[in-house]
Amino acid sequence: MAPSNKTLKEEFVSGLAGGTISEINYVTAVAPEQTAVALWSALQLRFSFFIPYTLPAFILDFLLQCCAILAATTIYSSQPLTLVLSLLLPAIILLLTASSSSKSKVPSKPPSTPATPSSSDFHVSSPPKPQSFQPPTAYRPFLTNYRGTMMIVTCLSILSVDFRIFPRRFAKVETWGTSLMDMGVGSFVYSAGVVSAGPLLKSRASQTSSGLATRLRSAARHSFPLLVLGLVRLYSVKGLDYAEHVSEYGVHWNFFFTLGLLPPLVALFQSILTIVPSQTFLALALVSGYQFVLENTSLKAYILISARIDLLSQNREGIFSLVGYLAIFLLGQASGLSILSPSPPIPGLISALSRLSPVKPVWARRLRVNPSTRVLLNLAVSSALYIALFQVTHHYRGLGLAVSRRLANLPYVLWVAAFNSVQLSAFCIVDTIFHTAKIASASPSLQQSKTQNQKEESVSLVLRAFNRNGLALFLFANLGTGVVNLSLDTIALGTWSSMAVLVAYAAVLTVVAVGLEMRGLVLKL
């Protein structure tokens, strides 16, 4: 008897070993996320192509932000360098021509003549005004780029994985190994931790601290919709006899349950931060303790090979991996506190070197006055720390621990943290390059104009849309994935038929996202 379509689809995503970390880094960290954003920024800098936001602007925005990453993970997965160069070279040319044109616009200095002092002259020489009100959080355009691209990759991959055009090495691994989709799951949680730093900074600015009961009530309001969605997905999968991968989270568990249980866990662990005032240290201590238990007790064997005889054993992957995802969330929150703070801290080692130096170097003075430089430096230090720790735990000359998303173990947590820190650093560098070029080419009046709307104009509308309604769009993407899989035999489709379906799916998702954004609607879940 021939196996059913459900069985074939389950076998299609089971027993996979993943790919290499270098390939994942190459496809995602280099191609085409930063390069697509760079080309978008170059077009905006050189031609203001996306103002006003016309239909051609939307189409090009969609091609850059959605179709580029779709191509990188499908038809260009074996030759991403071609895609990188096709996006990067035009961006470099446009940046250089914009720089040269701005130099030609600089007026020659007029001859010096005596002039009557103006009011502006007196304003410059007058005593400084008292410091104005500083908002508790800062707007960082590169953070929108990062979260927007992460959401797009996630939403596209959850459907692409069901097509043969999507390489099996990018799909989730069975137990040990690394893959693009394994990183996507962790990045989703990490980015949620980054944005969770905003309310925390506002609470610190107002010098108010809520008790545990208040925090738990607030967490319950955030958790309830996610847990409901988890139940809806559970009953939909079971009721429609939909293909499922049991060893991913368990018999009944799904990713919505993981997301729904993180807020109350974070609320509980926030009490510990009064004793251990560092999310980074707390997260690393938590996941290190979890790894110690995995290696020195029977817990690892229980999670991986025990029989599924009761509710706990049936959902053991989802339940115990909560420890690792909580650590990922806290590490993301630590990064967010630095990124979103109007006055980011200077890393301790750099600050100590600056104090010990008898002559204050130029970079030390720049760090004091330039928050963006401090943000980038913090991200660079975090990246170096997580990469070093990952090498110690994963490399054969270190502890030799294998990465496992199924366990959400220590190497997996460090890999996710290192990857996302590098991603944020790259987006910050791209934003800094094009922001500097824009300031250089702008008129003095525009250089001093920094309203919120003008800052948002430096970010793709598609990326803003996916960032602002990320969770709602993720839900919509899950529904769309179900509809496509129930309607089509995705495994049997050829290359161009698969691409046609995936591009149409991406277009529908993007139209919904941009429609919500242009109407100013934010769907809270």
Side-chain angles (χ1 to χ4, degrees):
M1 182 178 178
S4 65
N5 189 49
K6 176 188 175 183
T7 302
L8 289 174
K9 288 190 174 182
E10 289 176 346
E11 292 175 350
F12 190 55
V13 295
S14 301
L16 303 177
T20 64
I21 291 178
S22 59
E23 182 183 29
I24 297 166
N25 292 340
Y26 190 66
V27 170
T28 57
V30 179
E33 295 182 5
Q34 284 81 28
T35 49
V37 170
L39 182 53
W40 186 97
S41 301
L43 289 167
Q44 183 75 331
L45 172 68
R46 191 71 177 88
F47 304 113
S48 296
F49 187 87
F50 300 95
I51 301 176
Y53 201 76
T54 59
L55 180 59
F58 167 73
I59 293 174
L60 183 56
D61 203 1
F62 168 69
L63 291 173
L64 287 174
Q65 312 306 341
C66 298
C67 292
I69 188 61
L70 182 60
T73 55
T74 52
I75 55 178
Y76 279 95
S77 59
S78 299
Q79 45 184 352
L81 182 60
T82 303
L83 186 59
V84 174
L85 295 177
S86 66
L87 294 169
L88 189 59
L89 290 179
I92 293 174
I93 293 171
L94 289 172
L95 179 62
L96 293 177
T97 56
S99 301
S100 61
S101 64
S102 66
K103 291 178 182 178
S104 64
K105 293 178 182 178
V106 177
S108 58
K109 186 176 180 180
S112 58
T113 56
T116 303
S118 63
S119 58
S120 61
D121 295 328
F122 288 111
H123 173 71
V124 172
S125 59
S126 61
K129 293 181 179 181
Q131 187 176 8
S132 58
F133 170 75
Q134 189 179 53
T137 60
Y139 176 75
R140 309 289 185 198
F142 77 88
L143 184 57
T144 301
N145 288 331
Y146 157 76
R147 294 194 74 239
T149 53
M150 185 275 300
M151 282 305 310
I152 290 172
V153 174
T154 301
C155 291
L156 294 180
S157 296
I158 60 175
L159 177 60
S160 302
V161 69
D162 296 319
F163 293 81
R164 291 193 182 276
I165 195 175
F166 189 85
R168 295 299 87 194
R169 64 185 182 277
F170 289 168
K172 291 177 182 175
V173 303
E174 187 67 26
T175 302
W176 308 106
T178 56
S179 75
L180 175 66
M181 293 195 69
D182 288 329
M183 176 52 67
V185 174
S187 297
F188 196 102
V189 174
Y190 189 94
S191 70
V194 172
V195 296
S196 74
L200 195 58
L201 286 169
K202 292 177 182 178
S203 175
R204 291 179 179 180
S206 61
Q207 297 181 343
T208 58
S209 59
S210 54
L212 178 59
T214 303
R215 293 199 304 271
L216 287 175
R217 283 195 297 269
S218 177
R221 288 195 296 269
H222 289 87
S223 294
F224 181 74
L226 293 168
L227 295 176
V228 170
L229 290 174
L231 290 172
V232 170
R233 176 175 172 80
L234 170 62
Y235 286 111
S236 299
V237 168
K238 301 298 183 183
L240 296 173
D241 200 29
Y242 191 76
E244 55 182 331
H245 190 190
V246 173
S247 63
E248 186 176 343
Y249 294 107
V251 176
H252 310 102
W253 202 273
N254 58 61
F255 191 48
F256 286 108
F257 289 138
T258 298
L259 294 176
L261 289 176
L262 282 176
L265 289 175
V266 172
L268 288 171
F269 273 79
Q270 193 172 337
S271 301
I272 304 179
L273 290 173
T274 58
I275 304 172
V276 183
S278 169
Q279 280 87 350
T280 302
F281 182 83
L282 178 60
L284 293 178
L286 174 66
V287 73
S288 297
Y290 172 56
Q291 186 66 45
F292 180 83
V293 173
L294 286 174
E295 297 299 321
N296 294 278
T297 68
S298 60
L299 179 61
K300 185 195 298 184
Y302 174 77
I303 297 174
L304 297 180
I305 61 175
S306 65
R308 300 183 187 274
I309 57 176
D310 52 27
L311 194 62
L312 176 62
S313 61
Q314 287 176 332
N315 300 284
R316 54 186 185 262
E317 291 93 348
I319 293 171
F320 288 102
S321 65
L322 274 172
V323 179
Y325 287 118
L326 175 60
I328 291 173
F329 187 95
L330 290 173
L331 291 174
Q333 190 176 72
S335 182
L337 289 173
S338 168
I339 294 170
L340 294 173
S341 173
S343 300
I346 300 175
L349 178 61
I350 305 298
S351 179
L353 291 175
S354 175
R355 288 195 301 269
L356 292 174
S357 176
V359 179
K360 298 300 179 185
V362 174
W363 58 263
R365 294 194 297 271
R366 181 174 295 179
L367 281 177
R368 288 198 302 270
V369 300
N370 193 333
S372 297
T373 304
R374 295 202 298 271
V375 167
L376 182 56
L377 187 59
N378 276 298
L379 289 172
V381 170
S382 297
S383 300
L385 171 65
Y386 298 139
I387 290 172
L389 290 176
F390 176 75
Q391 291 296 328
V392 169
T393 58
H394 178 65
H395 200 269
Y396 72 95
R397 290 183 179 176
L399 299 178
L401 301 174
V403 176
S404 175
R405 174 207 45 80
R406 186 176 174 185
L407 297 171
N409 61 356
L410 176 61
Y412 176 72
V413 171
L414 292 173
W415 178 45
V416 170
F419 176 89
N420 282 273
S421 295
V422 172
Q423 283 274 303
L424 285 164
S425 301
F427 279 114
C428 185
I429 291 170
V430 170
D431 181 66
T432 302
I433 291 172
F434 284 95
H435 175 73
T436 303
K438 183 176 181 179
I439 293 299
S441 62
S443 63
S445 59
L446 288 176
Q447 290 181 19
Q448 297 175 2
S449 179
K450 297 181 181 179
T451 65
Q452 180 78 6
N453 288 336
Q454 288 169 331
K455 287 180 179 180
E456 290 191 346
E457 286 175 356
S458 64
V459 179
S460 157
L461 180 60
V462 169
L463 295 182
R464 293 209 312 267
F466 274 90
N467 169 59
R468 204 181 303 272
N469 278 295
L471 192 55
L473 292 170
F474 179 65
L475 171 61
F476 185 73
N478 275 270
L479 295 175
T481 299
V483 170
V484 172
N485 273 282
L486 292 173
S487 305
L488 299 172
D489 184 2
T490 55
I491 301 177
L493 293 180
T495 299
W496 297 112
S497 298
S498 300
M499 286 301 296
V501 173
L502 291 172
V503 170
Y505 161 82
V508 172
L509 196 60
T510 305
V511 167
V512 172
V514 171
L516 292 172
E517 176 68 15
M518 296 186 76
R519 286 167 176 76
L521 298 176
V522 179
L523 303 181
K524 297 288 187 180
L525 295 179

